[in-house]
Amino acid sequence: MKIKLKNKYKLFGGSQEFYQHDSLVNNAPMTFAVYLPPQITDKKLPVLYWLSGLTCTEENFVIKAGAQRVAAELGLVIVTMDTSPRNLGIEGEDDSYDFGSGAGFYLNATEPKWSANYNMYDYITEELPQIIESNFNVSKQKSICGHSMGGHGALMIALRNPDKYQSVSAFSPIVAPSQTPWGQKALKGYLGDDKQAWKKYDSCELVKTAITKLPLFIDQGTDDEFLKEYLQLERLQKVCEQYNHPLTLRMQEGYDHSYYFIASFIEEHLRYHNDFLLF
Amino acid sequence: MKIKLKNKYKLFGGSQEFYQHDSLVNNAPMTFAVYLPPQITDKKLPVLYWLSGLTCTEENFVIKAGAQRVAAELGLVIVTMDTSPRNLGIEGEDDSYDFGSGAGFYLNATEPKWSANYNMYDYITEELPQIIESNFNVSKQKSICGHSMGGHGALMIALRNPDKYQSVSAFSPIVAPSQTPWGQKALKGYLGDDKQAWKKYDSCELVKTAITKLPLFIDQGTDDEFLKEYLQLERLQKVCEQYNHPLTLRMQEGYDHSYYFIASFIEEHLRYHNDFLLF
């Protein structure tokens, strides 16, 4: 598949690049960004996939997290992507911030209205890695990380594909979408009423059946305005204890749900992933 | 003067805060942001004033530069501010990106239409430091730094007040506003046709009369789309040579005019200022 360079900026000795391409799985144009550290000219590098939260595009993390400084030091490629296709003309796609545009929830929709275009699960796990691996000097070594809805995406995808990802981490993730408001709205809207179908996108459910127990590393702010109702991390903590699944959950005193929180701890996440990735 | 807290976020163990207040010198509400590193509870800290470029508010640098990580390590307070008053109802204030709102040019306007509200020189050198020093646990030690129009502001203000600032640095600055398009439009608009009055806001002119020769430290990208016509750094280089004024001008290969450039080198600027500031 052809990809089209939209913008490119020198950054920490490497290159921050923005692309557009026609996605086969989403039947729609999609955009992504890739940070190529200076070491990219020497050898094939591993890739960290970053999944953003509600409303975000590929740009938010690029601008706000300050991750490229550390990526340039470690020799890590970072890929970010839009959180859904956009401007498709689907009725209601722009009606709310937490469903439709900017809210793909990293799943494959089955409801007829969305199923042709909202296949972010296949996009993240299949199509985008193929594009990255065929267009840039990267290895097949990869890790995954995300925030909020993207934290849900990272945990859920890694739990289902422990063979594909060397490591996973998350900031302020949705961990029990079947049981919390953002997730319930999305799962019902994209998958319909059959709650059995929701389970494969619910990290708390996936922990119960995980055979390869990929460790989960999570940072969560104690002053996060969404913690109590929308995130409910204690649900993941409980199921990880019950099923003996390795979880490092760090409650970070006084931090909220914003990118200021992500910026404060992204370096530790990059170094965490770096320890799992082969160079 | 009373200042009103608008927002506050925990960041790198410190606090990123946004304020609004009524400015006496601008006869208008103004907004600024302050990063308070964790050390602020222990002792009075020095302050770095950051001056942004055209169109920016106090938020751009806060979000995009990644400076707070280093400020938290060094114990440096960072103050950023809006680049002009806004929404005053002055005819034409929002007509262009390079004059009026978001383009105060860090001068005191004398043209009647602007003179009551566009007094950013007094705001930066007098009013804002007084507000910062009376509301936060800071010392009188300060340095100044900026980008593009804000690079002009930082250099010009430091050259005129070498006793007030311990050090100065700039990214991609306008250095000869009397002789380059952005500057000419602004100086004419705010000060009128008398070019004698322009000189005190022109760094190249100020170098000629500087008695205390505060060293100038500048980073400039070689791929900056504005370098040749709008910035013309060779003019400053020449006058510094002629008048034996210390200048460190680093041409950074491949970098452009964006915040990606600033992010790549801001750490070195903070460490540079840190060496001049007493703690």
Side-chain angles (χ1 to χ4, degrees), chain A residues 206-254:
Chain A
L206 292 167
V207 161
K208 296 180 186 171
T209 54
I211 295 164
T212 305
K213 292 183 185 293
L214 198 67
L216 312 179
F217 175 45
I218 299 175
D219 268 325
Q220 172 63 50
T222 60
D223 284 12
D224 185 330
E225 58 273 39
F226 301 110
L227 176 55
K228 214 168 175 182
E229 187 180 357
Y230 291 80
L231 305 179
Q232 301 190 15
L233 283 183
E234 67 279 7
R235 290 183 182 271
L236 183 67
Q237 214 167 6
K238 198 174 160 189
V239 75
C240 281
E241 274 167 28
Q242 281 176 343
Y243 289 83
N244 205 24
H245 197 109
L247 166 69
T248 304
L249 171 59
R250 309 193 305 182
M251 297 304 291
Q252 301 286 5
E253 189 65 31

Side-chain angles (χ1 to χ4, degrees), chain B:
Chain B
M1 289 301 299
K2 267 182 79 166
I3 60 173
K4 190 183 160 197
L5 181 67
K6 288 164 60 197
N7 278 304
K8 150 178 193 174
Y9 307 90
K10 189 162 182 185
L11 178 61
F12 288 106
S15 186
Q16 179 63 57
E17 306 185 349
F18 292 85
Y19 289 89
Q20 183 169 39
H21 72 108
D22 291 322
S23 163
L24 295 178
V25 300
N26 289 334
N27 292 295
M30 288 292 298
T31 51
F32 69 86
V34 57
Y35 177 68
L36 305 169
Q39 301 88 331
I40 197 80
T41 49
D42 300 337
K43 56 175 176 177
K44 285 190 182 298
L45 299 177
V47 183
L48 177 69
Y49 287 82
W50 170 268
L51 277 52
S52 279
L54 290 167
T55 76
C56 287
T57 70
E58 68 280 12
E59 203 186 21
N60 301 64
F61 182 81
V62 167
I63 290 177
K64 294 181 170 182
Q68 300 95 339
R69 178 185 60 86
V70 187
E73 180 200 321
L74 300 175
L76 199 54
V77 171
I78 300 180
V79 171
T80 63
M81 69 299 296
D82 204 351
T83 49
S84 79
R86 295 180 192 258
N87 307 312
L88 299 176
I90 301 176
E91 186 213 341
E93 69 181 345
D94 294 326
D95 284 0
S96 52
Y97 79 99
D98 56 359
F99 190 76
S101 299
F105 267 85
Y106 304 104
L107 51 73
N108 292 335
T110 52
E111 287 295 284
K113 199 170 154 185
W114 306 99
S115 61
N117 308 110
Y118 277 66
N119 294 304
M120 290 297 287
Y121 180 84
D122 285 351
Y123 184 69
I124 302 294
T125 58
E126 301 287 346
E127 188 176 24
L128 189 55
Q130 281 168 23
I131 288 170
I132 298 300
E133 286 160 23
S134 60
N135 283 282
F136 303 97
N137 193 30
V138 302
S139 72
K140 284 190 182 296
Q141 291 273 309
K142 46 182 163 293
S143 293
I144 191 163
C145 180
H147 172 237
S148 195
M149 175 183 75
H152 144 73
L155 296 172
M156 174 270 290
I157 285 171
L159 284 164
R160 287 174 62 172
N161 302 276
D163 50 322
K164 278 193 185 167
Y165 298 91
Q166 264 58 53
S167 53
V168 58
S169 75
F171 292 84
S172 334
I174 300 169
V175 294
S178 310
Q179 298 176 84
T180 47
W182 279 330
Q184 288 170 326
K185 177 175 177 178
L187 296 174
K188 187 178 163 69
Y190 294 125
L191 304 174
D193 287 323
D194 175 14
K195 292 196 176 178
Q196 201 55 35
W198 297 12
K199 287 190 177 175
K200 63 181 174 186
Y201 297 112
D202 187 312
S203 291
C204 282
E205 293 296 328
L206 293 167
V207 161
K208 296 179 186 171
T209 54
I211 294 163
T212 305
K213 294 183 183 294
L214 197 68
L216 312 179
F217 175 45
I218 298 175
D219 269 324
Q220 172 63 50
T222 61
D223 285 11
D224 185 332
E225 59 274 38
F226 301 110
L227 176 56
K228 213 166 176 181
E229 186 180 358
Y230 291 81
L231 306 179
Q232 301 188 15
L233 282 184
E234 66 280 7
R235 291 182 181 272
L236 183 67
Q237 216 167 6
K238 199 175 157 188
V239 74
C240 282
E241 274 167 27
Q242 282 175 343
Y243 289 82
N244 204 23
H245 196 110
L247 166 68
T248 304
L249 171 57
R250 309 194 305 183
M251 297 303 292
Q252 301 286 7
E253 188 63 32
Y255 287 90
D256 65 13
H257 199 71
S258 72
Y259 264 88
Y260 295 111
F261 172 48
I262 299 171
S264 300
F265 296 99
I266 191 67
E267 177 164 0
E268 293 182 49
H269 283 244
L270 264 62
R271 294 191 188 281
Y272 172 82
H273 292 294
N274 192 57
D275 286 346
F276 290 88
L277 293 161
L278 292 176
F279 282 79

Side-chain angles (χ1 to χ4, degrees), chain A residues 1 7 16 23 32 43 93 103 124 155 161 200 266 272:
Chain A
M1 287 302 296
N7 278 303
Q16 179 64 57
S23 163
F32 69 86
K43 56 175 177 177
E93 68 181 348
I124 302 293
L155 296 172
N161 302 275
K200 63 182 173 183
I266 192 67
Y272 173 82

